[in-house]
Amino acid sequence: MHVAVTGAAGQIGYALVFRIASGAMFGPNTPVVLHLVEIPPAMTALGGLVMELDDCAFPLLAGVIDTSDLAVGFDGVSWALLVGSVPRRAGMERAELLAVNGGIFGPQGSAIAAHAAADVRVVVVGNPCNTNALIAASHGRDVPTDRWFAMMALDANRARTMLARQCGVAVASVSRMAVWGNHSSTQYPDFANSLVGAQPVALRDPAVLVESVRGRGAAVIQARGASSAASAANAVIDTVVGLSRPTGANDCVAVAAASRGEYGVPEGLVYGYPLRSDGSSWEVAGGFVHDAAGWSALRASAQELESEREAVRGLLG
């Protein structure tokens, strides 16, 4: 399996590539070739990462390609994990951040369409990931729209752990955890439709948990002085595993994908949904029911994504 990771020498990339090489993403019987992509100033650090991969002697690691050339980095890959992005700096408006990242993800989308394998699937991790995925997909139109995703699994994992602790059960008991909308403060972790031990659970004040999930990223930054890295890398693994294997009964994969109008979301937005996968294709899971507050949250996140789309209109291919 040929897998590209952009921003590979960054914190998330560093936490991710060793797990891919060890078999955590594709299982113990699938050799992998890692295509590690970085910007030219980071190539020395990337070289050190490659040395560490060599020193691990992973039996499943069939090769490593380290490069700053997108054509080489995406050549023949079946999975493209777009991790690298420009972080939001103090005083930077969200529109400015979107514009800066548009200059990164547009060329990456074009290179994926031109050089990746015919079965390529793309997961955008670099934030703002939903609209970055929209930009990349607009420049990679030769790759079908249903192959482009943005990561929501970190939010879903946070929500699963919080719900499990509140209910006094193991995390493995929590299923059907969806996170709707944008990977931002408007996201809607859907505790109302989740299951604990295959049964719905009535929370006394779900709004408190919703706000806890929305604010978790900021809390991590405040505590460790840097954004989530290992947990984000783990969520990348969970996303690819969830999309490449059949979804279990009464469960879903939390990921953002191009809306086809499901649940009233405007078409074309890269929107967080509960998906069901057969291992190669997916559909938005049906049967999720929302109260007035839930519908309001879904609409608010869609409206934010619409305004982001409008802000990057000139960057779309």
Side-chain angles (χ1 to χ4, degrees):
M1 185 71 69
H2 285 248
V3 186
V5 179
T6 71
Q11 287 196 72
I12 298 174
Y14 187 85
L16 175 62
V17 297
F18 295 95
R19 293 196 61 195
I20 299 174
S22 71
M25 184 172 280
F26 300 106
N29 300 312
T30 302
V32 294
V33 175
L34 289 172
H35 296 233
L36 306 181
V37 185
E38 263 296 357
I39 57 175
M43 287 303 294
T44 300
L46 184 60
L49 172 59
V50 173
M51 285 190 281
E52 286 201 75
L53 283 167
D54 288 343
D55 293 348
C56 288
F58 288 116
L60 292 173
L61 186 56
V64 178
I65 298 166
D66 55 315
T67 183
S68 61
D69 185 332
L70 296 180
V72 175
F74 294 125
D75 185 39
V77 301
S78 291
W79 283 93
L81 311 177
L82 307 187
V83 177
S85 65
V86 174
R88 190 170 185 171
R89 301 185 180 92
M92 180 183 283
E93 297 294 331
R94 190 170 180 86
E96 183 182 358
L97 179 66
L98 288 165
V100 170
N101 279 301
I104 296 172
F105 288 89
Q108 288 181 356
S110 297
I112 289 168
H115 301 286
D119 64 349
V120 67
R121 285 185 274 183
V122 185
V123 178
V124 177
V125 180
N127 287 316
C129 60
N130 300 61
T131 298
N132 286 341
L134 177 70
I135 293 169
S138 76
H139 286 266
R141 294 186 184 277
D142 289 343
V143 178
T145 304
D146 63 0
R147 306 277 192 82
W148 302 84
F149 306 94
M151 193 174 80
M152 304 294 287
L154 178 54
D155 308 304
N157 285 343
R158 289 165 169 165
R160 289 177 66 225
T161 298
M162 290 180 191
L163 181 58
R165 285 184 176 170
Q166 178 138 335
C167 295
V169 300
V171 173
S173 299
V174 178
S175 60
R176 228 165 84 107
M177 178 58 72
V179 179
W180 302 82
N182 199 3
H183 177 64
S184 74
S185 60
T186 69
Q187 65 176 260
Y188 179 57
D190 192 355
F191 295 101
N193 283 289
S194 59
L195 301 176
V196 175
Q199 298 295 323
V201 59
L203 297 174
R204 183 174 303 171
D205 192 357
V208 173
L209 284 185
V210 169
E211 291 305 318
S212 295
V213 176
R214 287 172 171 173
R216 184 67 166 186
V220 170
I221 291 173
Q222 184 176 7
R224 69 181 296 263
S227 59
S228 302
S231 57
N234 180 70
V236 179
I237 301 283
D238 288 345
T239 300
V240 174
V241 169
L243 291 170
S244 56
R245 299 179 187 175
T247 307
N250 295 320
D251 208 354
C252 65
V253 183
V255 64
S259 170
R260 295 173 287 207
E262 299 95 340
Y263 291 92
V265 175
E267 290 189 25
L269 296 179
V270 179
Y271 191 90
Y273 276 119
L275 302 188
R276 290 189 56 79
S277 171
D278 64 6
S280 58
S281 62
W282 57 265
E283 63 180 5
V284 174
F288 281 71
V289 179
H290 304 289
D291 60 14
W295 282 118
S296 178
L298 265 63
R299 287 193 298 269
S301 210
Q303 288 167 0
E304 182 181 56
L305 284 168
E306 285 186 297
S307 58
E308 288 187 10
R309 179 168 62 182
E310 190 58 35
V312 300
R313 183 75 62 183
L315 299 172
L316 301 179

